[in-house]
């Protein structure tokens, strides 16, 4: 069962503490309120077989340096259509019954975060996660890209690189790779590994050995 959480007038740290408790309850299957999942998921998630082939093809190398890195070198969020930028596009794609105003800002809706199994009813409680973090991409080869290519990577709506998740969860992930961070909802780790692998493969990024081992373990949990 999934636990549904709704926004309340509490400080973020309080909501985060509640999230930990509710996630534990959901994981134990003790109680729960049914939550409708997002109406869409990131595009381009490969099958297990395809992800395995892509993982095998990735170049393993020592992790690069973050020297010179800045989020400003990965311009986002950019305008996608009309007044809608990339964040707003993902909020509409990943949410349920999303209503936007004339400037394309989401005024209502529901967002299910597959990383932790929580559901939010305010867009301000949701972050758009770069599945492969920008700093991780920098260390894995993006440091040599043009700013234009980095912008395309940071706003990639074609591959499973962007996903709406609980803000605190995204912040706790930071720029970590799967060897040190994985979704707390273990049932989503299969999907997460496939997304991570295909993004790195599609963009020609490298990975380190500990990262590859973690991804292989996650991929092994997939049934298809």
């Amino acid at each position: 069962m999934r636990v549904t959480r709704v926004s309340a007038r509490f400080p973020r740290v309080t909501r985060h503490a509640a999230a930990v408790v509710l996630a534990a309850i959901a994981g134990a299957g003790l109680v729960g309120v049914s939550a409708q999942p997002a109406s869409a998921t990131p595009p381009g998630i490969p099958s297990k077989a395809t992800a395995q082939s892509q993982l095998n093809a990735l170049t393993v190398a020592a992790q690069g340096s973050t020297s010179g890195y800045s989020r400003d070198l990965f311009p986002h969020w950019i305008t996608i259509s009309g007044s809608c930028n990339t964040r707003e596009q993902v909020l509409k794609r990943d949410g349920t019954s999303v209503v936007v105003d004339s400037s394309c800002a989401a005024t209502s809706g529901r967002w299910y975060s597959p990383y932790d199994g929580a559901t939010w009813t305010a867009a301000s409680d949701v972050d758009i996660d770069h599945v492969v973090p920008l700093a991780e991409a920098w260390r894995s080869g993006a440091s040599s890209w043009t700013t234009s290519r980095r912008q395309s990577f940071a706003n990639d709506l074609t591959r499973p690189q962007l996903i709406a998740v609980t803000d605190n969860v995204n912040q706790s992930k930071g720029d970590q790779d799967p060897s040190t961070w994985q979704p707390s909802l273990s049932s989503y780790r299969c999907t997460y590994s496939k997304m991570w692998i295909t993004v790195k493969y599609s963009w020609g990024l490298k990975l380190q050995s500990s990262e590859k081992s973690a991804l292989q373990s996650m991929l092994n949990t997939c049934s298809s």
Side-chain angles (χ1 to χ4, degrees):
M1 296 184 185
R2 293 172 180 148
V3 172
T4 302
R5 295 185 293 157
V6 296
S7 298
R9 300 186 303 275
F10 300 118
R12 178 154 296 172
V13 65
T14 301
R15 289 191 283 104
H16 180 59
V20 173
V21 174
L22 290 171
I25 292 173
L30 299 178
V31 297
V33 179
S34 178
Q36 292 296 319
S39 59
T41 56
I45 300 174
S47 65
K48 177 181 181 179
T50 297
Q52 184 65 67
S53 296
Q54 293 175 341
L55 180 60
N56 294 343
L58 286 172
T59 299
V60 177
Q63 183 164 273
S65 170
T66 54
S67 176
Y69 167 73
S70 168
R71 288 178 68 85
D72 293 339
L73 295 173
F74 293 79
H76 67 287
W77 306 111
I78 62 171
T79 300
I80 299 298
S81 176
S83 59
C84 300
N85 65 25
T86 317
R87 170 183 164 82
E88 292 158 345
Q89 287 289 100
V90 177
L91 284 174
K92 290 195 295 181
R93 183 197 71 191
D94 288 3
T96 301
S97 303
V98 178
V99 176
V100 301
D101 61 20
S102 58
S103 64
C104 202
T107 57
S108 64
R110 292 201 305 162
W111 291 271
Y112 171 73
S113 169
Y115 287 2
D116 58 335
T119 294
W120 295 101
T121 59
S124 59
D125 290 322
V126 178
D127 277 357
I128 306 305
D129 179 43
H130 287 97
V131 173
V132 175
L134 304 182
E136 166 63 21
W138 178 271
R139 296 189 295 262
S140 303
S143 59
S144 65
W145 293 353
T146 62
T147 300
S148 176
R149 181 169 173 80
R150 287 192 289 264
Q151 174 177 292
S152 296
F153 176 81
N155 298 275
D156 189 359
L157 292 168
T158 302
R159 301 169 187 86
Q161 164 66 344
L162 301 173
I163 186 170
V165 299
T166 301
D167 54 2
N168 300 107
V169 173
N170 182 48
Q171 292 154 23
S172 69
K173 172 186 171 180
D175 64 353
Q176 299 178 79
D177 70 44
S179 67
T180 55
W181 189 93
Q182 297 176 16
S184 60
L185 200 62
S186 59
S187 60
Y188 197 71
R189 292 175 185 173
C190 160
T191 300
Y192 186 76
S193 68
K194 292 192 290 186
M195 294 194 298
W196 182 286
I197 291 166
T198 202
V199 169
K200 281 217 161 179
Y201 177 83
S202 298
W203 286 92
L205 295 171
K206 299 175 183 179
L207 79 174
Q208 54 185 327
S209 58
S210 59
E211 176 188 349
K212 183 173 183 178
S213 296
L215 287 166
Q216 186 63 69
S217 294
M218 297 164 75
L219 193 59
N220 288 344
T221 69
C222 301
S223 58
S224 61

